[in-house]
Amino acid sequence: MVIQIILLCGLVIFSGLAILLRDLIKAALSLAVASLILGIIFFRLSAPYAGVFEISVVAGLITVLFVLTIALTKKGDEVAEARLVKMAFPIFLILFLIIDGLVMKSLLQKIPALPSGPEAGAFGDVLWKQRTFDLVAQIGVILAGVLAVLALFRKKEEDGDE
Amino acid sequence: MSNLWFLYIFFSALLIFIGLYCLLTMRNLIRLFIAVEVISKGVSLAIVATGAVKNNILLAQSLVITYIVVEVALVATALALIINIYKKNKSLDVRLLSRLKG
């Protein structure tokens, strides 16, 4: 229990740093560390496949994408954030902590969640046989993302006269 | 087990709050997408924790994997958009986007 609380606190601290740090590269790296911690939490919750995806894809690929974008937009970190925003953050955070602690426990008993009960079969059976349509949707989403990036980076067509 | 569920959902709500606060108050486009990432971490933590507590971890894992794939496609498209906006405006200030002419 203690290790879980430490991991969760680390996750929140690094996520907060990702938002509050002034340097965008450092912010992206602390986001990667937060993903790494989330991956470890998934492993501890006996969800190894989700943990592997979280560490390899989110902590790896998305961080690379973020660093690449930050490098391509060098002057981007000159955007001035309002000072009041960072100063007011701890106050709002403490307020939310109090509300979260008071309300969440009673909410959890009312919100319907995943059906409980022991599962049969292996992870492969659930992913490939029960959630087959999800895989089709994933292929569609990946294709849509690739086409969107291609469309956004296409060059202007030159006039045919020349 | 209920206490464990409460702990995880408490922290995932905290992550979602941090992301929403950044989305509502900050101006840098890249930072806004970092906030979207933080929110998505909170959501995936909530899904896996609920699955683990309710003995339904296999279904929760498959949902989270689908969610991560959607997240990657979203981030790739959004960062491509950000680069295009930077090329046009020479700035990442989100307030400049309100000056678009249709």
Side-chain angles (χ1 to χ4, degrees):
Chain A
M1 191 76 167
V2 178
I3 298 173
Q4 281 160 336
I5 291 173
I6 292 170
L7 283 172
L8 286 168
C9 286
L11 175 64
V12 169
I13 289 169
F14 278 102
S15 302
L17 280 179
I19 281 169
L20 294 175
L21 280 177
R22 197 179 166 81
D23 189 0
L24 281 176
I25 293 276
K26 285 177 189 167
L29 290 179
S30 57
L31 190 73
V33 176
S35 292
L36 197 67
I37 295 172
L38 188 62
I40 296 168
I41 292 171
F42 285 174
F43 273 108
R44 289 186 60 84
L45 283 172
S46 55
Y49 295 101
V52 165
F53 260 77
E54 182 71 29
I55 291 175
S56 62
V57 178
V58 183
L61 178 67
I62 290 184
T63 308
V64 170
L65 287 177
F66 267 114
V67 171
L68 200 70
T69 312
I70 293 164
L72 285 173
T73 57
K74 267 185 183 172
K75 291 177 185 171
D77 48 2
E78 289 170 4
V79 179
E81 305 288 354
R83 260 187 203 176
L84 193 66
V85 168
K86 285 184 181 175
M87 284 163 65
F89 178 70
I91 301 166
F92 281 107
L93 188 68
I94 290 166
L95 264 177
F96 183 78
L97 277 175
I98 295 166
I99 296 168
D100 197 5
L102 289 176
V103 174
M104 195 55 81
K105 204 150 201 171
S106 57
L107 264 182
L108 279 184
Q109 292 161 355
K110 291 174 188 168
I111 298 174
L114 288 170
S116 59
E119 287 176 305
F123 174 68
D125 293 335
V126 175
L127 186 65
W128 291 99
K129 290 177 184 166
Q130 290 179 26
R131 313 293 302 178
T132 316
F133 194 74
D134 285 8
L135 296 173
V136 179
Q138 282 183 36
I139 295 168
V141 166
I142 291 170
L143 276 178
V146 170
L147 289 177
V149 172
L150 282 178
L152 284 168
F153 283 120
R154 72 182 159 209
K155 289 179 182 172
K156 265 186 191 172
E157 287 177 19
E158 304 211 356
D159 291 340
D161 299 339
E162 292 173 8
Chain B
M1 218 50 174
S2 172
N3 278 339
L4 193 67
W5 194 26
F6 168 71
L7 183 75
Y8 281 111
I9 298 294
F10 178 84
F11 276 95
S12 72
L14 201 58
L15 283 177
I16 292 171
F17 166 77
I18 293 172
L20 280 179
Y21 182 82
C22 179
L23 267 185
L24 289 174
T25 53
M26 300 216 170
R27 297 165 184 165
N28 191 322
L29 273 173
I30 293 179
R31 210 174 284 279
L32 294 185
F33 273 95
I34 289 177
V36 173
E37 278 295 300
V38 172
I39 292 174
S40 72
K41 277 186 212 321
V43 173
S44 50
L45 176 65
I47 294 173
V48 171
T50 308
V53 170
K54 299 263 178 179
N55 284 329
N56 219 338
I57 192 70
L58 299 180
L59 180 61
Q61 272 191 93
S62 65
L63 287 177
V64 165
I65 287 172
T66 308
Y67 184 65
I68 288 173
V69 171
V70 173
E71 192 184 326
V72 171
L74 167 82
V75 169
T77 313
L79 292 179
L81 258 177
I82 287 175
I83 291 172
N84 273 350
I85 288 169
Y86 178 75
K87 273 184 191 167
K88 187 163 185 168
N89 288 343
K90 298 289 171 203
S91 170
L92 287 178
D93 198 333
V94 75
R95 290 169 298 177
L96 292 177
L97 295 182
S98 61
R99 292 183 199 159
L100 289 175
K101 290 174 186 170

